Amino acid sequence: MSALEYERFADIYRVWTATAGSTHANHPFYVEAYLAAGGPVVELGVGDGRIAVDAAVRGCHVVGVDLSPAMLALCRDRAAAAGVRDRLTLLQGDFRSFELPEPAALIALPYHSLGHLTTLDAKREALRHIHTQLRPGGRFVFDDFLMTPDRLDHMRRVQLRAEYDTPEGQHALLWVTSLIDEGAQTMRVVTWEDLLDEDGVMMRRRYRPLSLSWITPAQAAALLADAGFTVERCLGAFDGTPFVDDTAEEQIWIARKDAAA
Ligand SMILES: C[S@@+](CC[C@H](N)C(=O)[O-])C[C@H]1O[C@@H](n2cnc3c(N)ncnc32)[C@H](O)[C@@H]1O
């Protein structure tokens, strides 16, 4: 992956999340979960701190883990700008091998980020490791794409994602499409930014691909069971709607490490 991919993606991450469908819904869900955790909270793939910093502003201490130095730097800057740098502990590490200073009450892996591990073996390794980093009774919460034919069709289209001015003052268009391998359940999300001069002439185009993947709900349940988790709930939307096959928009898993584990 993806560590290198995010080194190149970091500068457009804020525009990307501001114009994404699910970020507006997943943000309050995770912030509330962090505040309710009642113990050490960890966000894996903390990114630019979009969720963690807002939880910190509301009083929560968050340990943020991420592989990408560029994303961790954005998170650090965002926390400093919000005046909560002291409420964030940032660690560079991988989902499969991070080491926490103390066992967590809640480990969250938001925004389809498990999908950056693109094989079932890598995801299995991650979930087994996450289980070891929780305290007994602690929870693991994550969401993944709920892939449907409509969603695949949508992702394959070329979409104009955003129009904005860069910090350097250049006018920009952000485009995206995805190359999808349905058999392997993987995709290359290919994003490109066009920088335009005042006459609308394209001066520069830069591509920033990301490697992603998805699992089915049955695969998610099997991975959680394999790692030793007990599933408390599976939601179909971030407003708390229980997962129902025909109407679910996402798969959001809330799992527990049993007290005896
Ligand atoms: C989709 S972003 C999510 C960021 C943030 N949680 C949010 O919701 O906006 C995924 C993040 O996971 C990080 N990441 C990807 N693969 C990783 C891995 N194997 N271990 C740790 N971090 C990883 C990326 O660097 C990126 O910051």
Side-chain angles (χ1 to χ4, degrees):
M1 128 46 238
S2 268
L4 275 180
E5 292 177 348
Y6 270 96
E7 292 310 284
R8 281 195 273 152
F9 203 83
D11 65 332
I12 56 164
Y13 191 75
R14 206 153 180 157
V15 180
W16 177 262
T17 50
T19 54
S22 55
T23 48
H24 303 285
N26 68 25
H27 175 279
F29 172 86
Y30 283 105
V31 170
E32 293 305 326
Y34 296 3
L35 293 170
V41 173
V42 177
E43 182 175 332
L44 298 180
V46 69
D48 71 349
R50 180 181 69 89
I51 297 167
V53 170
D54 285 359
V57 165
R58 292 180 55 192
C60 189
H61 191 112
V62 182
V63 177
V65 177
D66 206 290
L67 207 47
S68 159
M71 296 303 285
L72 287 169
L74 289 178
C75 187
R76 213 170 283 122
D77 291 349
R78 190 178 194 136
V84 293
R85 184 64 195 87
D86 58 333
R87 292 198 194 136
L88 283 186
T89 302
L90 298 178
L91 306 174
Q92 190 185 357
D94 189 279
F95 301 151
R96 292 160 290 184
S97 55
F98 64 97
E99 290 294 331
L100 298 178
E102 58 181 328
L106 173 69
I107 298 181
L109 180 50
Y111 196 17
H112 310 149
S113 299
L114 184 63
H116 286 304
L117 300 175
T118 53
T119 65
L120 274 178
D121 282 347
K123 292 177 213 275
R124 188 175 300 110
E125 196 183 338
L127 264 59
R128 287 179 181 175
H129 182 68
I130 289 165
H131 192 266
T132 69
Q133 297 297 301
L134 280 167
R135 69 186 189 191
R139 292 193 171 83
F140 172 47
V141 181
F142 78 103
D143 59 85
D144 203 1
F145 297 101
L146 183 62
M147 213 42 101
T148 61
D150 281 352
R151 189 160 206 164
L152 287 169
D153 187 46
H154 177 75
M155 294 186 81
R156 284 189 169 112
R157 286 188 210 140
V158 172
Q159 302 158 48
L160 177 57
R161 180 70 175 254
E163 181 180 25
Y164 54 96
D165 289 325
T166 67
E168 295 74 35
Q170 264 193 292
H171 201 58
L173 298 176
L174 190 68
W175 303 82
V176 63
T177 190
S178 300
L179 281 169
I180 297 173
D181 181 338
E182 286 188 54
Q185 295 176 208
T186 58
M187 57 199 154
R188 291 277 286 171
V189 178
V190 181
T191 303
W192 63 100
E193 184 188 50
D194 288 340
L195 297 179
L196 312 179
D197 73 8
E198 57 276 10
D199 291 324
V201 177
M202 188 179 72
M203 305 305 289
R204 185 165 179 247
R205 169 171 287 176
R206 186 168 172 215
Y207 287 91
R208 296 171 175 88
L210 291 178
S211 305
L212 268 166
S213 63
W214 71 91
I215 47 179
T216 64
Q219 288 169 325
L223 287 174
L224 286 166
D226 165 84
F229 285 106
T230 300
V231 173
E232 289 186 339
R233 274 177 300 154
C234 181
L235 305 176
F238 287 105
D239 64 4
T241 308
F243 186 93
V244 177
D245 267 339
D246 291 347
T247 54
E249 299 160 12
E250 300 265 351
Q251 44 175 326
I252 304 149
W253 293 88
I254 300 159
R256 192 184 63 243
K257 173 172 176 165
D258 285 325

